[in-house]
Amino acid sequence: MHKFFRLCFATLLVFALSAVALAQSTTTGAIEVKVQDPNGAVVPNATIAVRNVETNQETTATTDDEGRARVVNLQPGTYTVTVNASGFGAFTQERIVVEVGVATPIEANLAIGETTGQVEVTAEAPVINTSQQDFSSNINQTSINELPINGRRWSNFALLTPGTAPDGAFGLISFRGVSGLLNNNTVDGGDNNQAFFSEERGRTRIPYVVSQASIREFQVNTSNYSAEYGRAAGGVVNAVTKSGTNEFHGQVFFYDRDNRWGARNAFAFQTLPSGERVGLKPTDRRLQFGGVIGGPIVRDRHFFFFNYDGQRNTQPNAVFLNLPATTPRDPLTLQAIDRLQPLAASWE
């Protein structure tokens, strides 16, 4: 019996570790470094130090016999890479952008001499991914913050990527012509799908589960993506949320969409019992408001991030009676009109 329990525990531990590894691989990026000397020869056993600019978290690696090193499980963000090797000057490259699901390539060309240094600055992620076979695009923080969007549903930005198109009129997205019900949506490596309707959790109408203000970036995998994403014949939208940093950051937002500021539909009329036709303009007001705040609890070690997103929607539906052209004389009909007339109004 004890052996059975030990076997069950070992099995659960394997599955738990596999789930953690899967979540890390789908929510992080990597940096690939190739180290060379001035003549183009590879430099093995060079020390690579990768530091997150926002949290000061540092990861190290050592180049192999081909002068290459791959630093994995890096949270999306901005990094500084420092390369040191015996007999060479230190190499430093700053503001390296790491995106989710992408390995950013770096070439470190070392100079001869212990005191010689080299500093390069870049602020852009690579446009062309030459190290992976999948067809994917990344929507970064600049796009999410600066591009206009109706309703603040962050996943709608996936329509900016190649091979996508709206599937129907309710917000579904088709990848490569495949039904929008066959996609997969993940947030921080977790399942973000509504199982019954086979849509994104919260479905694709106005409500949503994860606020746009809390999304750092997301990757849109159109095809040829890794089997670790799975369960999708269409596309995979893989999002990563924000976290706190060593600096306090905050944001507030308020959006008011009110049809009182717009024109009336020229073809919308209501016929009153008297036969008069009047213009119909029901109330439609949508408010979206909230904010985010993040910062350090213990610098370089523990951080916090808080987000609130609220919505208020006032969109009444007009109900009116289509009365006949001539006034009915039947007592039962007149009695029914008297009962229904008070209900011919707007309801929310």
Side-chain angles (χ1 to χ4, degrees), residues 115-194:
T115 59
T116 303
Q118 179 180 356
V119 178
E120 296 184 6
V121 178
T122 178
E124 298 294 334
V127 178
I128 300 177
N129 184 2
T130 59
S131 60
Q132 295 168 265
Q133 77 285 351
D134 55 351
F135 293 89
S136 63
S137 303
N138 281 55
I139 306 297
N140 57 28
Q141 188 64 203
T142 302
S143 299
I144 294 175
N145 288 339
E146 304 297 334
L147 294 177
I149 188 171
N150 180 20
R152 292 182 58 80
R153 175 178 289 277
W154 58 269
S155 57
N156 285 348
F157 285 119
L159 288 169
L160 299 175
T161 61
T164 60
D167 184 7
F170 292 102
L172 290 175
I173 299 177
S174 171
F175 293 83
R176 314 182 318 278
V178 179
S179 170
L181 301 177
L182 299 178
N183 300 329
N184 186 18
N185 189 291
T186 63
V187 175
D188 289 335
D191 188 350
N192 192 45
N193 299 285
Q194 213 280 358

Side-chain angles (χ1 to χ4, degrees), residues 264-276:
R264 182 184 63 81
N265 185 344
F267 299 97
F269 291 93
Q270 179 179 5
T271 302
L272 300 179
S274 61
E276 180 185 1

